[in-house]
Amino acid sequence: MQQIERQLRLIAIFDAAEEVGLYPVDVRTLHTLAYLADALAPVWHLPILDGQVLKRRTYPFFPALQHDLDLLVGLGVVQVDSFAYEEDWEDGWRLSAGYFLNRSFADRIIDEINQHHLAERSHAFVREVVYAASAIGVEGIEQVGIADAAYSNPVVDVGGVVDIDGEQGVNATAKTALRFKALTREQTNLSDAETVHLYVRHLYSRMNVA
């Protein structure tokens, strides 16, 4: 069941990415958007699907998500625009590929998602994450790890595992977003969507300072 939920989240990312022009979606961008969706899930009171993520120098990588993506490609739901391996001086060899939805299959899945409240709510949440991230562009998205509260934790070194669903309560990313919501409560009551957008703007400000 969790694998199906991860695949539905991937479809939601591709669906929203196409709407905002992030198309086709590069591997780095995809994994970073999936990370933001998981890290910010508590803001929408949704479950975190991948609680542990491999820490690379600048962007996260989920082995399970990549496996699920490969399955979607095999099923014909997702198509590959380009495929290669590139040497990254920071992280070694990495997959470089662009992906997009095969609408003839994906649209039927999305129509079914919209018939179920929880699935539709999760889809809407992912859409807001992608919409928010699109404002900082592909280059900004791929540098999210440098600024994100949980991922940039200096206690976890490159090659280690960032735990965003551990036993210590809400992760630092969601905690920061919820803190923004609490601080602005006297002036306005931010919606969950506005909270997500505010947190991404905060990341953009931190990147510029860095």
Side-chain angles (χ1 to χ4, degrees):
M1 187 63 188
Q2 189 176 34
Q3 183 180 67
I4 292 173
E5 290 177 343
R6 286 198 304 261
Q7 290 176 335
L8 292 178
R9 181 165 288 185
L10 279 169
I11 291 170
I13 290 172
F14 285 122
D15 183 41
E18 184 174 340
E19 291 182 20
V20 297
L22 298 175
Y23 183 81
V25 184
D26 177 76
V27 170
R28 285 191 180 199
T29 302
L30 178 63
H31 282 262
T32 304
L33 290 172
Y35 168 78
L36 280 175
D38 265 324
L40 290 168
V43 174
W44 281 52
H45 309 287
L46 290 169
I48 293 173
L49 300 184
D50 276 311
Q52 289 74 41
V53 55
L54 177 63
K55 185 172 184 178
R56 293 188 170 182
R57 195 168 303 277
T58 56
Y59 73 101
F61 183 81
F62 296 97
L65 178 141
Q66 189 62 45
H67 175 70
D68 293 336
L69 175 59
D70 293 342
L71 289 177
L72 288 175
V73 171
L75 291 169
V77 178
V78 173
Q79 294 182 304
V80 181
D81 176 71
S82 60
F83 181 89
Y85 284 96
E86 295 180 351
E87 188 172 13
D88 190 311
W89 69 273
E90 293 182 324
D91 295 310
W93 288 93
R94 71 177 184 89
L95 175 66
S96 176
Y99 299 91
F100 60 96
L101 286 180
N102 180 352
R103 284 291 174 182
S104 61
F105 290 120
D107 284 347
R108 283 180 280 175
I109 296 172
I110 294 170
D111 287 343
E112 183 63 28
I113 287 172
N114 291 331
Q115 304 304 312
H116 304 274
H117 174 69
L118 184 58
E120 192 280 332
R121 186 162 169 266
S122 179
H123 193 90
F125 160 65
V126 174
R127 184 169 60 242
E128 286 301 331
V129 171
V130 176
Y131 284 0
S134 69
I136 63 177
V138 172
E139 290 186 4
I141 293 171
E142 294 180 356
Q143 296 181 52
V144 159
I146 298 172
D148 177 69
Y151 196 81
S152 63
N153 182 355
V155 174
V156 182
D157 202 355
V158 173
V161 174
V162 178
D163 188 354
I164 55 173
D165 192 23
E167 299 177 353
Q168 299 181 1
V170 177
N171 67 72
T173 298
K175 189 178 294 184
T176 301
L178 291 170
R179 180 63 176 161
F180 289 153
K181 187 172 187 175
L183 289 173
T184 58
R185 189 161 291 154
E186 291 186 4
Q187 290 78 33
T188 183
N189 187 20
L190 291 177
S191 67
D192 293 341
E194 289 170 330
T195 303
V196 168
H197 282 260
L198 183 59
Y199 179 76
V200 174
R201 286 200 296 271
H202 160 71
L203 291 183
Y204 183 68
S205 298
R206 289 200 64 187
M207 289 176 206
N208 287 339
V209 170

